[in-house]
Structure formats: C-alpha cells, structure tokens
Amino acid sequence: MSTRPGVTAGAVATESRPTTAAAPALLAVYAVLIAMTAWAVYSTPRGFIPAQDRGYVIVAVQLPRGSSLARTTDVVRRAEEIILKTPGVVRAAIFAGFNGATFTLSPSAAALFPVFAPYEERLPHKLTAARITEELRARLGAIDDAFILVLPPP
C-alpha cells in the first residue's frame, strides 16, 4: 500500500535508496568541514590588530582636586625633565591645566605628549614604543605628587 496517493510502494523505496546510501558519505564530509573550521578557529591568532608604533605616547597627570595651576606646572616641569632624558624621546608637547580624559580645563590636571625619535634611529638600539613606554612608566613613578599614567595612543 502506498503512503502517497498515486505512487506505488516500489517508487517510494527507489526514491529513498539514494539518500540512505549517500548518508554516511555526507556525514563524513560534514565532519571534515567541522574539523577544518575548528582548526581554523584555534590556529588563527587572537589579535588581528597588532600594537602599532605611532611615534608618541600620552602621559596623563592628575594632582589632587583643588591643586593650583602653579603646583601642577611644577610637577609637569619635573615630568618633562624626566621624559626628555629618556632614551628614544626627542621632544614633548605639554598642556598644563588640561584634562585629556574629559577635554576640559582643570588646574589640577595636565597632558603631555612625548614624541619619539624616528623609528630608523631607534631600531639599532631596540627602542620600540613598548620599551620606551615601560621606561617612561618606571621613571615617572618617582613623582609622588601626582597620579601619572603613560598610555599608548588610540
């Protein structure tokens, strides 16, 4: 007896035979595709965007709330001295009284932008941006009057 009107039982059996015969091969192909996808996911590096040497860093200085601009300027001058003595740094743009995080004027904040020597000059001495940044963090840690962050540019 046919399961569909007008179709014999032999036709239904003939139709289902190719799909059941190909099922193991299709499952094997599917398993290989899943395995290849898993291999690609686990072998691909996690970070597609490497850290870039942009030739400068950002130094954010924050003194206690209510600090005068004169006190901030003194701290910034000490930081500038340290920054300019750091190997690989050639100059620095300094903004005392400017809060770089909020882009507002604040007498207790400052932003400094140390500029590195050209990469070709730093390369023989192995002065990468990461190495200079770490050196600046270590050296600026000697200033106790303010909270100082050395950050790579965005």
Side-chain angles (χ1 to χ4, degrees), residues 18-34:
T19 55
T20 55
L26 290 174
L27 287 174
V29 169
Y30 183 67
V32 168
L33 290 174
I34 294 292

Side-chain angles (χ1 to χ4, degrees), residues 1-4 7-18:
M1 181 165 214
S2 171
T3 57
R4 290 185 279 175
V7 179
T8 64
V12 171
T14 305
E15 286 177 3
S16 66
R17 197 172 298 133

Side-chain angles (χ1 to χ4, degrees), residues 26-103:
L26 290 174
L27 287 174
V29 169
Y30 183 67
V32 168
L33 290 174
I34 294 292
M36 288 173 53
T37 301
W39 174 80
V41 166
Y42 289 111
S43 65
T44 303
R46 299 289 181 253
F48 289 104
I49 302 173
Q52 295 182 352
D53 187 337
R54 304 275 303 267
Y56 73 99
V57 290
I58 302 165
V59 178
V61 179
Q62 183 65 54
L63 276 75
R65 189 177 294 176
S67 297
S68 68
L69 184 57
R71 182 177 173 199
T72 303
T73 302
D74 288 341
V75 171
V76 167
R77 285 193 179 132
R78 284 190 288 156
E80 177 187 20
E81 230 176 85
I82 292 170
I83 288 169
L84 293 177
K85 288 180 183 176
T86 304
V89 177
V90 292
R91 64 185 175 277
I94 299 162
F95 302 95
F98 174 72
N99 188 329
T102 60
F103 292 101

